[in-house]
Amino acid sequence: MLLEAQNVAKAFGDFHAVAGADLSVDEGDIIGLIGPNGAGKSTFFNCLAGDTTPTGGRISFAGQDVTTASPEAHARLGVGRTFQVPATFEDMTVLDNVMVGAFLRHPHRRDAREHARGIVELTGLNSVAHSRARSLGTPGRKRLEIARVLATNPRLMLLDESLAGLTPTELQEAIKLVRRIHEMGVTIVIVEHIMEVIMTLTRRVLVFNQGHVIASGKPEDVVKDETVITAYLGHGSRRHRSET
Amino acid sequence: MKKPSVVRPKILLLAACLLIYPLVFSDAFYRDIGVTFLLAAISASAWNIVGGYAGQVSVGHSMFYGIGAYAPLLFYQLWGWPPMFGIPIGIVCSLLLAIVIGAPTLRLTGHYFSMATIAVAELIRIFTGTWDLVGAAIGLQGPAVARGWWDLTFRGELPYYYIFLGVLAVLLYVTYAIERRRFGYYLGAIKAGERAARSLGVPVRKTKIEALMLSATFTSIAGSLYSIKTGFIDPESGFGILISVQMVIIAALGGAGTLFGPLVGALILIPLQTATNTWFGGSGSGLTYILYGGIIVLIARFEPGGLFELWERIAPARWKSGHAA
């Protein structure tokens, strides 16, 4: 087991954003988290990445208890994450952004640069490598975030709506990229609203609603689940499936 | 991060100009401006490490400057030590203060951090003004007549000019080296977004403390150079808030977070300050505040990145620093 979250809870005062969520991720998995806005997915994600300390439960990564570990410690252990709103370093070039991630495993500039160049090429950012991050549009920034995390040589990547807001063509490119990263041996947990991404990429899906996991299983089974349809997908999705 | 082939001739030209300046302008007035410029450039460059590169805008850096300024004259007055012996003691005290103050205040961000640093510097200034050991409100004096070269008490400005220039060169080299190392990249990442930096494994608190310590070291040296040169220090000239504000404004004017930004800022502000003092004399003592206020408004409104960023935008491509391919 690479990542195990048991009964994780996060409360802000009386509001329970996450109320006892479980997740187990094996090495090589690719798992999707879906649910309506405000369901607690991002808070749960923040708990997994060390950004937020849970108020209950336990999280372990590669056999180590990381429930209260800092984001830095998570990164060192091999947990990388992207942000829902891209948090690129705006005044740095794309290559320098990626180098910040690369420095985690390559303390010397020359090695970090070499490693970062490889990642920039892999993620298709070569043509903008020396442009400032602020000059990129949303797809470029999202790609850069993925590149930056990839440069830390993660064992587990947590992608928080990294494919949202892309055009159909960009989306297909991004799906290819995520698949390629997965093939490199990186385990992936992805929060996404786009069902096409979930259905295409993931092997298992967890559905969040009001801080709870209301369903989990194979994507094709989950989308037929009556609870999931009522809470998230809506009955229109069933009609849409039967039509297609 | 810059192409050595493009930058080196500019650096050599700058170094040559700085080296020959006091020889070309041999009048005491112009040499004094040169010395003041160098001191301002050292202070602002030292502030730039934590304020510019790491984005932690301290407005209380006079705490380190003041400690550095008091140390040489205090030990001279107490035991007759050559003032330069106080320089390392000032550095050690500033480093300790940076750790003690930095640990709690660097948890704060943005304006809160700035306000906390102002509060600490002001507390130290007020305390120093009532502490008899350090001369209270009257302050301390250095040797009136040099007992030897080791007192660093010279009649003319020339020796000070070259000592200050040497310190500035070392500081710029250190900053240049930082820019090219992991530490420099981490500072930039922290400035751009601590949360994202943390997620990439950047040890944010440790890096910020280290930046503050390095900045405090050179600010302390700047203070020591000032008091050794003037042979006098009091709470206002050591710990006064204008000293901190001047560092911030000079760096911001030229370009905070750039290697030569503080030099550009000092090159504009110091002659301007000298001119207003010369034109208006004692009656224009409040003009410094107006000048600083006006510059803050102009930078914030029109060019938050400073003149260096403006240059990057408008200068012909072949003149710009560029980035390594």
Side-chain angles (χ1 to χ4, degrees):
Chain A
M1 189 76 63
L2 186 63
L3 176 78
E4 189 164 29
Q6 293 170 312
N7 203 25
V8 171
K10 178 68 188 178
F12 300 98
D14 289 338
F15 176 68
H16 295 270
V18 181
D22 296 312
L23 172 70
S24 46
V25 183
D26 284 322
E27 192 109 43
D29 260 349
I30 178 157
I31 292 174
L33 295 185
I34 59 170
N37 286 329
K41 306 182 298 289
S42 287
T43 308
F44 182 56
F45 221 62
N46 288 339
C47 292
L48 297 180
D51 240 2
T52 304
T53 306
T55 44
R58 184 177 182 275
I59 302 168
S60 64
F61 180 77
Q64 282 193 53
D65 187 343
V66 293
T67 315
T68 56
S70 65
E72 298 98 297
H74 275 77
R76 279 196 299 273
L77 285 169
V79 181
R81 71 158 302 171
T82 63
F83 294 89
Q84 200 173 333
V85 178
T88 50
F89 306 135
E90 301 289 79
D91 284 333
M92 288 187 180
T93 65
V94 166
L95 184 64
D96 287 348
N97 262 269
V98 180
M99 280 178 72
V100 173
F103 274 122
L104 182 65
R105 313 278 177 216
H106 306 276
H108 298 292
R109 186 169 175 263
R110 188 175 294 178
D111 300 338
R113 201 173 184 84
E114 197 63 33
H115 181 63
R117 274 184 208 275
I119 300 291
V120 163
E121 198 167 328
L122 176 81
T123 50
L125 290 165
N126 235 350
S127 60
V128 288
H130 301 292
S131 306
R132 286 194 184 190
R134 73 156 77 123
S135 69
L136 302 180
T138 306
R141 281 167 198 230
K142 295 209 167 192
R143 202 166 266 255
L144 174 55
E145 274 218 321
I146 292 175
R148 217 169 49 176
V149 175
L150 201 56
T152 64
N153 289 354
R155 290 176 71 184
L156 170 70
M157 266 179 100
L158 304 167
L159 305 179
D160 195 354
E161 297 192 26
S162 291
L163 280 63
L166 306 183
T167 63
T169 318
E170 289 162 356
L171 187 65
Q172 291 311 315
E173 289 295 315
I175 288 173
K176 264 190 222 166
L177 175 64
V178 175
R179 195 170 276 148
R180 200 161 164 200
I181 293 168
H182 181 241
E183 283 165 6
M184 287 161 60
V186 181
T187 305
I188 292 171
V189 177
I190 182 166
V191 168
E192 199 50 76
H193 281 295
I194 307 166
M195 287 311 289
E196 185 188 347
V197 173
I198 296 294
M199 301 302 286
T200 317
L201 278 175
T202 64
R203 292 175 187 172
R204 192 153 57 92
V205 179
L206 270 78
V207 188
F208 264 75
N209 191 33
Q210 296 182 338
H212 297 273
V213 176
I214 57 166
S216 69
K218 289 181 181 173
E220 54 271 28
D221 297 335
V222 164
V223 291
K224 291 175 197 157
D225 189 307
E226 196 59 38
T227 330
V228 177
I229 292 168
T230 308
Y232 179 51
L233 298 173
H235 289 280
S237 70
R238 189 154 47 189
R239 278 199 302 276
H240 176 71
R241 274 201 316 280
S242 60
E243 283 163 15
T244 55
Chain B
M1 277 178 263
K2 288 168 182 174
K3 281 181 186 171
S5 57
V6 176
V7 174
R8 203 163 287 155
K10 289 183 198 167
I11 293 175
L12 290 175
L13 182 68
L14 176 72
C17 289
L18 290 172
L19 279 169
I20 63 166
Y21 170 84
L23 306 177
V24 175
F25 298 95
S26 53
D27 188 272
F29 175 74
Y30 291 110
R31 281 184 177 175
D32 187 56
I33 292 178
V35 170
T36 311
F37 155 75
L38 290 174
L39 189 66
I42 293 168
S43 308
S45 296
W47 176 90
N48 196 30
I49 295 170
V50 73
Y53 285 94
Q56 309 300 306
V57 182
S58 159
V59 194
H61 251 49
S62 61
M63 64 178 110
F64 308 120
Y65 186 91
I67 286 174
Y70 266 83
L73 302 193
L74 178 63
F75 292 105
Y76 165 75
Q77 287 229 329
L78 288 178
W79 299 302
W81 289 7
M84 69 171 165
F85 283 14
I87 298 175
I89 296 170
I91 291 172
V92 171
C93 293
S94 292
L95 282 173
L96 291 174
L97 184 68
I99 295 166
V100 171
I101 301 302
T105 57
L106 285 170
R107 285 171 177 270
L108 304 170
T109 52
H111 306 310
Y112 296 105
F113 173 72
S114 304
M115 287 192 287
T117 54
I118 293 173
V120 173
E122 279 296 282
L123 278 173
I124 294 175
R125 184 184 66 79
I126 293 164
F127 177 69
T128 311
T130 59
W131 192 16
D132 289 334
L133 182 76
V134 296
I138 297 163
L140 299 171
Q141 286 196 328
V145 180
R147 296 166 296 180
W149 66 267
W150 55 86
D151 271 343
L152 300 181
T153 305
F154 308 110
R155 282 192 180 163
E157 303 284 340
L158 200 62
Y160 293 115
Y161 183 91
Y162 285 113
I163 291 170
F164 289 16
L165 186 59
V167 172
L168 179 64
V170 171
L171 174 53
L172 289 178
Y173 179 75
V174 169
T175 311
Y176 174 72
I178 287 172
E179 267 191 355
R180 299 176 67 81
R181 281 175 170 72
R182 176 166 74 170
F183 185 60
Y185 283 80
Y186 278 4
L187 294 181
I190 289 168
K191 182 181 181 178
E194 286 189 21
R195 194 175 170 216
R198 275 206 173 93
S199 75
L200 296 170
V202 175
V204 170
R205 283 194 63 204
K206 179 174 166 276
T207 309
K208 287 205 285 192
I209 292 267
E210 285 171 359
L212 185 64
M213 288 169 70
L214 194 59
S215 178
T217 299
F218 281 100
T219 310
S220 176
I221 293 172
S224 297
L225 295 177
Y226 169 77
S227 68
I228 289 171
K229 181 190 169 288
T230 55
F232 171 75
I233 194 73
D234 68 359
E236 199 55 46
S237 57
F239 296 103
I241 192 165
L242 266 189
I243 291 164
S244 305
V245 172
Q246 193 191 57
M247 291 179 208
V248 179
I249 288 182
I250 287 176
L253 178 63
T258 60
L259 183 61
F260 293 112
L263 259 71
V264 174
L267 199 62
I268 294 167
L269 195 76
I270 297 304
L272 203 62
Q273 220 174 60
T274 312
T276 54
N277 289 346
T278 312
W279 291 333
F280 299 100
S283 62
S285 57
L287 268 177
T288 308
Y289 291 94
I290 297 171
L291 188 68
Y292 286 176
I295 289 171
I296 289 172
V297 171
L298 288 175
I299 296 171
R301 173 66 185 82
F302 297 107
E303 202 53 58
L307 295 174
F308 232 78
E309 197 166 288
L310 179 69
W311 170 258
E312 286 289 310
R313 220 175 34 245
I314 63 168
R318 66 196 168 90
W319 287 11
K320 290 179 192 175
S321 50
H323 287 83

